[in-house]
Amino acid sequence: MALLLQISEPGQSPEPHQRKRAVGIDLGTTNSLVATVRSGTATIVNDEQGRALLPSALHYDRHGLSCVGYEALEHDLSDPLNTLTSVKRFMGRGLADVALFGEQLPYEFVAGSDSGMPKFATAAGAISPVQASAELLASLERRAELALGGDLDGAVITVPAYFDDAQRQATKDAAMLAGIKVLRLLNEPTAAAIAYGLDAGGEGTIAVYDLGGGTFDISILRLTRGVFEVLASGGDSALGGDDFDRAIADWLRAELAIDADMAPAQQRQLLAIAKRAKQQLSEVEQTQLTVGEQSLILDRDQLATLLDPLIAKTLRACRRSLADAGVKLDEIDNVVLVGGSTRALRVREKVADYFGREPLCHLDPDQVVALGAAVQADVLIGNKSGDDLLLLDVIPLSLGIETMGGLVEKIIHRNTTIPVAKAQEFTTFKDGQTALAVHVVQGERELVSDCRSLARFELRGIPPMTAGSAKIRVTYQVDADGLLSVAAREMTSGVEARIEVKPSYGLDDGEVTRMLQESFSHAREDMAARALAEQQVEADRIIEDIRAAIAVDGEQLLDADELECLRKSIDELQQLRETTREHRQLARKIESVAKGSETFAARRMNAAVKKALAGQSLDQLEGEL
Amino acid sequence: MPFSQDYFALFGLPVDFTVNRGELDGAFRQLQQRYHPDRAAAGSDADVRLAVQQAAAINQAYTTLKSPLLRAHYLLELAGVEGDSESRVTRDGLFLMEQIALRERIEELDEHPQPFDELEQLRSTVEVKFVDCEEQFAHHYQAGDYLRAQDAVAKLQFFAKLLEQLDELEQDLEDR
C-alpha cells in the first residue's frame, strides 16, 4: 500500500508562496517533536544541531526559565528541584492525584489556586504543568519558525487517546499560553495511522498497536474515500515495556537466588541489565547477563516465556476493541506499530501471529506520531483541497450524569463518534424545588463514587412546581477535540445554566485503565447494585399504584377478605423493599404482588369499560366496531 | 442547510425500515466532508461552533439510521406514534416467560462447565429472535399497524439489552 505522506496531487496544491505554515507537535512525556509537510512529504524539523528530539525537560533558576531540552537535562542530577521532567503526567491533575503517584517525586508542590492543578515550586517561583508545557511548545514553535522562515499559522497537537476532558483542556490551554493556534487535538494512535496511512483514495481497516514504556493503546480505524473513521479505541495504560524489564529482572533474581529485599540501587541495576538484554535479543539469538560475580544466558525462547503473558494481555485488549468496533479479525487490512516497546522482536511476532499479517513498522516509532500530526495540520490549515482527508474520532470514556441513589446515567457512551450532542430530560423530585444540582462524571462504572467527577453546577431559579412537573433538559456537547460543554435548561420557564467543563483535575492513563478494568470486573457487582435500585423504584411504584387504586374503588370491587389479603401483600412488599439487598428476592415479591392484584386490576378494567359504554346503544357500538 | 429535514432526507434515503447501508455510509461521509468542524479549523470561532453543531447533528442522524432499534423508534416518531408499549409487552405472558428463561440461562453462565460455548449459543439464539422482531416490525410498520410495530420495538429493546449483557459477560469471563 502506498504511503499517505505524499498526498498532494500535482496542480492541486496552492502555489508555494500561498502555503500556510502548519506543524504537527507530539508533546510527549519524555521527548517532544515537531514535524511539517514540505513538498508534499511530512518531515521532522530538527534543531540547529540536527537533533530530532526535544527532551521534555525544563530548568528554572531565579531569573526564570534558564533552558529546555538536552541542556535542561544536564541539570537533572545537580539541581533536581529546579529541573522539571515528565510534566505531561501532571497535566489536568489535582494535588490528590499527584499524591497517588506513589513514588518518590523529586519536586515540591504548591497547591494551585483556582485551577486546582498543583504547581512545581522552583527557584523562579511556582510553575504550573500548563506553563511548563507551554514553554516546551514555544521552544518547538521557535524551532519550526526558524526552519520555515516565518510565523506559524497553526498546529495540530497530539494527546494520548485515553486523555480525558481535563487533560485535553490543559493541553489546549498550554498551547494558547504559548500563543499557538490549535487546529486540532489529535489522538496519538490516529496520528500514527495517518502517517502510515494510505492514499486519500485508499480503503481499508487498520489496527494501531501502540506500546510505550508504561502504557498500551489500541485503536481500530477505517479509511474510506479519504475519511478516516476511528471505530474504537481502548487499551491498558498500566502495561508497557517497563513491565517487560521487570519480568526479566524478576527472572534474573530468581535464577541467581538474589534476596528479594535488595537495595533500591541494586534493583535499578537489575532493571538496567534486563532492559539491555531485552534490546540485544532483538538483534542476537542469546545474550549473557552478568550481575556481580554471577552470570547466565538468556535466549529468545526464555525471553518469549517471560514476555508472552504480558503480550497476551495487550492482545486481549485488542480483541475487546475489535468487538467494540464491530470488526472481525480477518477484516483488518493493516496493523501499524507505534511506541518504542514495539521494537521488541517478540512483540512483533505475537502481533503478526494474532492479526495474521506482518505489521507495518518501517517508520521510526518515536517519530511517527509527529509525522501524522503534520499531515493533518497541512490539511486543516487549508493547504489541501477539501476532499483530501477527514478524521472522525471517538470519545474514549463515557460521559454521564449523577442520578438518584448515586447512580450514573450515561449520556454519551464511549466510542461514540465526535462531535456529538446529546440531551436528556430530568425532573424535580420535591414539590416547590427551585434548584437542581448537575454532577458531570466520566467513566464506565455504574456508581458515581467509582467514576471521575468532572464538574458540578447548579441550575437555579426553577419556578416552584409540584414534583415531577418541571422539565429540565441537560445537553452534553463534545467538540472535535473531545472537549465537553454542558448546558441545563428548564423547558417551561426557559431558565438556563451552562458550563464549559474545565475541571480542576483529570484522570491519568493508568487511572483510566484501572477504571475500565474495574468496570469489567465489577460489572456483576454494579449490575446487582443497579438492579436492586431499579427494583426498589419498581416496588415503590407498584405499592403507590395499588394503594391509590384501593383508595378509589377497592371497597366497591373487592370483598373484605380480598382487600385484606391485598393490603397485607403490599405491606410485606414495603417491608422487604426496606430491608433486602437481594434484587431477585425483591423482584419475585413484586411479581407475586402484581399477580395477586390481577383480579382487582381486571375488575377495575371491566368497571371502566362498563362506565365508558354506559349509555351507548348496541347499534352505536356495532357501528364503531 | 439540510438539517431541518428528517434523517432519511438528510442522507437522501427513502423513509423505510430497510436501509441500504452502502448508500447511508457514502452519504454520511459526503456530509461530514462538507460540514465537519475540521473544515472550519482555520476559520473563526463562530464558524467552528456552527460546524460542531452541524457535524453533531449528522452523527446523531447516522447513529440512528445505522441501528435497527433506533431506526425503528425513529420511524414511529416520524409517524407520530407516541407513548411507550413496554407495559403492554410485559403483559405478554409468552414473551415474558421466554425472557425469564433467557435471563436464567445468562445468570447460570457463571457455573456452566463450557461457559463460552453456552454464551455463543445464547448469543445466536438471541440474535435470531432479534432479527425475527426486526421482520415483525418491518411487516407491521409497512401495514400501518403502528400498535403492533410499537410492540415489536419494545421487544427489540429487550433483546438488544440481552445482547449487551452477553458482551459484558464475555469480557468478564475472559478476565477470569
Side-chain angles (χ1 to χ4, degrees):
Chain A
M1 211 165 290
L3 285 182
L4 177 69
L5 303 187
Q6 194 106 40
I7 54 175
S8 84
E9 286 171 34
Q12 261 195 350
S13 63
E15 292 304 303
H17 67 271
Q18 293 174 323
R19 281 185 67 88
K20 291 189 173 166
R21 295 181 197 92
V23 296
I25 295 176
D26 175 0
L27 183 62
T29 307
T30 319
N31 294 301
S32 298
L33 297 95
V34 58
T36 191
V37 174
R38 288 171 171 166
S39 336
T41 306
T43 44
I44 297 289
V45 181
N46 291 338
D47 68 5
E48 283 168 291
Q49 282 92 338
R51 296 175 298 200
L53 301 180
L54 174 75
S56 304
L58 309 98
H59 179 250
Y60 289 86
D61 60 24
R62 61 196 172 84
H63 306 295
L65 181 72
S66 82
C67 54
V68 299
Y70 288 106
E71 221 182 311
L73 274 186
E74 285 166 19
H75 298 274
D76 197 21
L77 288 178
S78 58
D79 191 13
L81 281 184
N82 292 312
T83 310
L84 306 183
T85 57
S86 297
V87 167
K88 188 174 180 176
R89 299 177 62 198
F90 300 88
M91 293 287 273
R93 308 285 298 272
L95 200 55
D97 300 304
V98 173
L100 288 175
F101 278 5
E103 67 215 58
Q104 290 288 319
L105 292 164
Y107 310 120
E108 282 169 16
F109 294 99
V110 260
S113 52
D114 51 336
S115 78
M117 236 183 276
K119 295 183 172 187
F120 305 101
T122 74
I127 304 290
S128 80
V130 170
Q131 280 171 293
S133 299
E135 296 287 5
L136 291 171
L137 289 170
S139 167
L140 292 168
E141 184 189 24
R142 278 194 298 279
R143 179 194 288 199
E145 286 178 347
L146 213 62
L148 297 178
D151 288 353
L152 292 187
D153 294 298
V156 167
I157 300 175
T158 60
V159 290
Y162 265 47
F163 252 24
D164 77 347
D165 198 75
Q167 294 166 303
R168 283 167 199 265
Q169 191 63 59
T171 307
K172 210 170 177 179
D173 289 350
M176 274 156 64
L177 203 57
I180 296 174
K181 177 172 171 65
V182 180
L183 299 168
R184 176 83 112 90
L185 295 180
L186 183 60
N187 289 334
E188 288 161 9
T190 313
I194 296 175
Y196 265 110
L198 321 138
D199 303 313
E203 314 258 311
T205 307
I206 302 144
V208 181
Y209 181 102
D210 179 355
L211 189 62
T215 64
F216 169 67
D217 265 1
I218 173 77
S219 290
I220 312 293
L221 300 98
R222 179 174 289 150
L223 177 63
T224 327
R225 285 188 207 104
V227 177
F228 244 121
E229 217 177 323
V230 181
L231 301 177
S233 69
D236 183 339
S237 334
L239 180 67
D242 299 348
D243 298 287
F244 293 0
D245 302 343
R246 225 163 285 137
I248 300 168
D250 285 349
W251 170 80
L252 195 58
R253 194 174 45 72
E255 289 291 308
L256 299 180
I258 299 171
D259 195 351
D261 281 342
M262 55 191 150
Q266 198 184 356
Q267 230 164 11
R268 273 202 297 279
Q269 189 204 355
L270 269 188
L271 279 174
I273 292 171
K275 192 186 195 85
R276 212 161 38 240
K278 176 186 76 178
Q279 287 165 350
Q280 283 166 351
L281 285 176
S282 290
E283 311 291 331
V284 297
E285 286 294 327
Q286 58 175 51
T287 182
Q288 187 167 346
L289 288 72
T290 307
V291 184
E293 305 287 281
Q294 310 181 73
S295 74
L296 88 168
I297 300 286
L298 177 63
D299 62 13
R300 283 186 178 173
D301 283 349
Q302 182 58 44
L303 182 70
T305 315
L306 295 173
L307 300 193
D308 281 359
L310 296 167
I311 300 171
K313 270 173 92 176
T314 68
L315 297 179
R316 270 206 293 281
C318 291
R319 186 159 61 230
R320 214 165 262 170
S321 279
L322 284 169
D324 276 355
V327 167
K328 295 201 174 60
L329 199 52
D330 57 10
E331 290 172 327
I332 297 288
D333 301 305
N334 269 305
V335 182
V336 167
L337 294 185
V338 193
S341 302
T342 59
R343 291 200 171 96
L345 209 59
R346 187 62 182 168
V347 171
R348 297 189 174 187
E349 283 172 9
K350 295 299 275 185
V351 170
D353 248 21
Y354 178 71
F355 286 100
R357 62 181 56 250
E358 280 306 313
L360 297 173
C361 51
H362 52 271
L363 293 177
D364 183 335
D366 289 327
Q367 300 187 353
V368 58
V369 167
L371 291 174
V375 173
Q376 175 71 352
D378 199 44
V379 172
L380 293 183
I381 203 70
N383 287 340
K384 296 260 168 276
S385 72
D387 291 342
D388 268 313
L389 174 72
L390 182 69
L391 267 189
L392 300 175
D393 230 316
V394 297
I395 182 142
L397 292 165
S398 300
L399 291 163
I401 190 168
E402 175 168 355
T403 62
M404 297 276 281
L407 295 177
V408 177
E409 174 138 1
K410 285 178 186 164
I411 294 193
I412 300 178
H413 285 81
R414 86 187 148 108
N415 286 327
T416 299
T417 306
I418 51 177
V420 60
K422 282 263 168 72
Q424 200 106 312
E425 270 188 14
F426 296 90
T427 189
T428 47
F429 60 97
K430 275 191 199 138
D431 286 343
Q433 187 180 340
T434 58
L436 182 89
V438 176
H439 184 196
V440 183
V441 297
Q442 189 161 25
E444 306 312 313
R445 299 285 301 278
E446 307 220 336
L447 300 176
V448 166
S449 48
D450 299 325
C451 287
R452 163 63 80 187
S453 166
L454 284 182
R456 287 172 191 272
F457 69 98
E458 257 191 18
L459 175 66
R460 292 172 180 279
I462 302 171
M465 287 180 249
T466 50
S469 42
K471 273 197 180 139
I472 295 142
R473 177 180 284 255
V474 179
T475 309
Y476 278 39
Q477 180 179 285
V478 180
D479 67 15
D481 291 327
L483 295 174
L484 171 71
S485 59
V486 180
R489 186 184 166 89
E490 202 289 304
M491 302 303 282
T492 55
S493 64
V495 175
E496 193 162 357
R498 181 177 285 277
I499 182 172
E500 297 287 324
V501 177
K502 270 203 177 185
S504 43
Y505 45 76
L507 314 167
D508 81 77
D509 307 16
E511 201 170 3
V512 172
T513 313
R514 182 181 59 70
M515 285 166 65
L516 269 177
Q517 282 167 343
E518 280 182 6
S519 99
F520 293 130
S521 48
H522 289 275
R524 286 297 164 77
E525 231 172 82
D526 281 356
M527 262 194 262
R530 177 160 214 127
L532 180 65
E534 282 172 0
Q535 291 301 339
Q536 286 170 341
V537 172
E538 184 60 21
D540 292 344
R541 198 188 56 77
I542 193 167
I543 291 168
E544 202 187 306
D545 283 358
I546 296 179
R547 279 191 180 142
I550 289 177
V552 176
D553 48 19
E555 284 172 14
Q556 289 99 288
L557 298 175
L558 297 175
D559 65 33
D561 279 353
E562 288 169 335
L563 197 58
E564 173 58 27
C565 186
L566 190 59
R567 279 198 172 123
K568 205 176 136 223
S569 82
I570 52 176
D571 286 347
E572 284 167 8
L573 176 60
Q574 178 82 58
Q575 206 189 351
L576 190 68
R577 181 239 179 276
E578 307 301 340
T579 52
T580 188
R581 307 298 306 160
E582 251 300 310
H583 68 90
R584 281 189 208 105
Q585 191 188 9
L586 189 55
R588 276 197 296 275
K589 185 69 192 170
I590 290 171
E591 214 165 303
S592 92
V593 170
K595 208 163 171 48
S597 70
E598 264 171 13
T599 326
F600 182 33
R603 281 183 208 163
R604 296 194 83 211
M605 184 77 78
N606 282 335
V609 171
K610 267 185 207 146
K611 202 167 143 196
L613 296 186
Q616 292 194 34
S617 75
L618 202 56
D619 285 348
Q620 270 174 313
L621 268 182
E622 276 172 351
E624 280 174 17
L625 293 171
Chain B
M1 281 312 305
F3 296 104
S4 51
Q5 322 166 35
D6 71 64
Y7 295 165
F8 291 95
L10 181 66
F11 295 111
L13 296 168
V15 182
D16 191 4
F17 183 63
T18 311
V19 159
N20 180 325
R21 189 57 199 271
E23 281 176 26
L24 173 65
D25 290 354
F28 166 69
R29 283 191 298 267
Q30 267 180 12
L31 285 171
Q32 284 293 15
Q33 281 279 22
R34 190 159 155 210
Y35 292 106
H36 194 274
D38 280 359
R39 293 289 172 248
S44 72
D45 285 356
D47 291 344
V48 174
R49 266 201 302 279
L50 178 65
V52 166
Q53 286 168 11
Q54 289 169 337
I58 297 167
N59 280 332
Q60 169 73 24
Y62 182 55
T63 309
T64 305
L65 296 198
K66 239 182 357 180
S67 142
L69 177 60
L70 297 178
R71 187 163 68 230
H73 260 298
Y74 183 64
L75 281 169
L76 290 179
E77 200 185 304
L78 284 184
V81 183
E82 293 198 356
D84 146 40
S85 64
E86 202 180 303
S87 50
R88 203 159 57 232
V89 168
T90 47
R91 263 182 263 120
D92 176 342
L94 229 59
F95 177 75
L96 276 190
M97 298 268 283
E98 181 184 78
Q99 282 287 317
I100 290 168
L102 284 169
R103 269 163 213 270
E104 272 172 4
R105 270 178 76 187
I106 290 177
E107 272 167 25
E108 285 158 9
L109 209 53
D110 238 359
E111 287 98 45
H112 201 279
Q114 261 100 37
F116 288 100
D117 294 348
E118 167 75 355
L119 193 130
E120 263 332 295
Q121 267 190 25
L122 264 167
R123 199 194 317 263
S124 58
T125 309
V126 178
E127 274 167 358
V128 166
K129 288 180 189 299
F130 190 88
V131 173
D132 227 38
C133 278
E134 278 186 68
E135 280 161 13
Q136 279 175 34
F137 174 84
H139 175 76
H140 295 312
Y141 173 76
Q142 219 139 45
D145 186 348
Y146 296 140
L147 219 58
R148 285 214 172 82
Q150 211 180 14
D151 287 353
V153 173
K155 288 180 184 175
L156 275 177
Q157 194 128 30
F158 274 100
F159 290 125
K161 243 183 213 157
L162 285 181
L163 287 173
E164 237 172 73
Q165 214 178 335
L166 285 173
D167 284 345
E168 276 172 24
L169 278 178
E170 185 171 26
Q171 291 173 347
D172 236 20
L173 287 171
E174 277 172 3
D175 284 341
R176 273 209 310 214

